[in-house]
Amino acid sequence: MMIEALIAVALVGAFVTFVAPNRIAGKLAFAISLIPAALSLWMFSAFDGSGNALLGGELAFASEFEWIQFGEYSISWLVGLDGISMPLVVLTTILSTLAIVSSWTPIDERESQFYGLVLFIEANLIGVFAALDFFVWFIFWEAVLIPMYLLIGIWGGPRRKYAAIKFFVYTNVASLVMFGAFIALVFGLGDVTTFALPDVTAAMLDGGPDGFLGIGGTTLASLVFVAMFLGFAVKVPIVPFHTWLPDAHVEAPTPASVLLAGVLLKMGTYALLRFNFTMFPTEVIEPFVIPIAAIAVISVIYGAMLALAQTDLKRIVAYSSVSSMGYVILGLIALTQFGVGGATFQMVSHGLISGLMFMAVGVIYNATHTRMVTDMSGMADRMPVAVGILVAGAFGYMGLPLMSGFFGEFTIFFGAFGAEGLAYSQVFTALAMFGIVIVAGYLLFALQRTVFGPYHLETDYDVDRAPLHDIAPMFVLLGLIILLGVAPELIFEMITDAVDPILETGGEL
């Protein structure tokens, strides 16, 4: 019942924080968030699962009971963790705790509601990564949208309502497309009377659907694959479904941006791996390999070029997320051990690095009240520690060796370059690698303008060293980035143990 305990603590904590006085809400939420963080780290150390959750693997901390029966179909509470979901649960709990601490400076109104929503998001994110029945998973998936919409719409910037509505409409429409496609798939699998993902996966790999509403089984499988890919692609997001992301990041308060980039985007790539690239057999995936690889490379290059054109530090980091998620998609579609394993590792790595970058930009904004590159310079003289961490995070984004970004990108490139089932794999990989050059260009350009040179600030504020509670979360993230860069086997062996059955069952392309 450990997974239930994680979710329950975060949910109960959310409601307790909602009714707590504003003056203690931040400290109370932090104390509560330490419980799931500590529990998830213990679960990580005691993890004894093996194989893949959808392919008959041994689940860790699993529990199951029948929940709802309607007609011949049943919905069950089925949760459990494998080597793919366990690191993402730990990422969720740690980032949630650090996001709460990073909120203490910028959030100065309606604190109890803000921190309650953060804990509510944490509970549902854990559910997304642990649930293995589609209906239960979908409830958690949708429940994440509402608090994030409120965080952006209430505590965001001047265009917060526009950004919040755009975020909600994009992601909710995508969810409806994905939901309808999956239900059609289940109805097309004549012998399946449950929405448990392992059962649906077994039926898909053992002949697939018979058909639905006059659509043949083969055609139905392909249509569902495309619909679900599009639904998840909006959440990732990849080009051309990325336009909601910069607006959401720019208008969101810094802690919301940390959670949005650090964990919410990983919901899309996690779902792609779980559904599209685990549930569907090779013959369904094969016709879409080159188009998906092309979309991945376009996202890498186009996202990096958009970042290069920005003068707002938050937009730079936001567009860099589009580019980084392109690498993850390339690794997934390679369908090799290093490709898929590297993509999953990169989900965790990017969550840490992007969280660090948004925190650092937020600390600078708290002091200067501007994020524009043209409005400031020489910040290193006034905020040496915060700027030093920002520079270190930027190097992590560039793939500096001994940082987690290097291992994630290297394994993706290694896995994609040798992908026998991906035509022109060397060309796709080489083009994606060129994105690193652009990343270095826009990050170094932004850093040179803002943190080095003589001190200058357009706004009329006194800039001093950031308080300890702003710096401490960034130190923790930087330590984790270096730890995974030096010892990636801490999670990579766990990941590959869950990835290998995908390749053995579906077969490498």
Side-chain angles (χ1 to χ4, degrees), residues 269-327:
T269 50
Y270 170 80
L272 281 172
L273 175 55
R274 277 285 191 239
F275 289 85
N276 288 76
F277 300 119
T278 301
M279 190 174 292
F280 289 85
T282 303
E283 55 267 23
V284 176
I285 303 174
E286 199 166 10
F288 305 104
V289 169
I290 290 182
I292 293 175
I295 291 172
V297 172
I298 290 171
S299 295
V300 169
I301 302 299
Y302 188 63
M305 294 297 290
L306 288 173
L308 185 62
Q310 305 305 311
T311 56
D312 184 318
L313 287 174
K314 233 183 178 187
R315 280 191 176 272
I316 291 173
V317 181
Y319 279 118
S320 68
S321 292
V322 177
S323 182
S324 295
M325 290 299 97
Y327 290 127

Side-chain angles (χ1 to χ4, degrees), residues 99 103 114 118 148 151-152 249 252-262 264:
S103 308
F114 179 91
V118 171
M148 183 56 68
L151 289 179
I152 299 171
H249 272 311
T254 295
S257 291
V258 170
L259 291 175
L260 182 59
L264 264 72

Side-chain angles (χ1 to χ4, degrees), residues 364-494:
I364 292 175
Y365 177 77
N366 293 339
T368 63
H369 293 264
T370 181
R371 295 189 304 263
M372 304 305 294
V373 171
T374 54
D375 288 350
M376 61 182 125
S377 65
M379 290 297 110
D381 291 337
R382 304 298 178 95
M383 308 177 71
V385 178
V387 165
I389 297 175
L390 172 64
V391 172
F395 284 141
Y397 244 129
M398 297 178 214
L400 186 74
L402 299 183
M403 302 185 82
S404 61
F406 172 79
F407 184 82
E409 292 174 1
F410 173 78
T411 49
I412 288 172
F413 294 149
F414 184 80
F417 191 84
E420 296 180 358
L422 174 58
Y424 313 108
S425 60
Q426 294 87 352
V427 175
F428 284 122
T429 306
L431 290 173
M433 291 177 69
F434 182 70
I436 298 177
V437 178
I438 309 175
V439 170
Y442 65 70
L443 287 176
L444 292 176
F445 175 76
L447 292 175
Q448 183 183 20
R449 296 286 300 273
T450 57
V451 304
F452 300 117
Y455 175 74
H456 169 73
L457 182 63
E458 289 290 335
T459 57
D460 188 20
Y461 289 90
D462 293 327
V463 178
D464 202 353
R465 292 173 181 266
L468 178 62
H469 62 260
D470 284 348
I471 297 297
M474 297 193 295
F475 264 123
V476 173
L477 288 177
L478 182 58
L480 292 172
I481 291 166
I482 295 173
L483 177 64
L484 289 183
V486 174
E489 68 275 6
L490 287 173
I491 65 171
F492 192 68
E493 291 181 359
M494 178 186 295

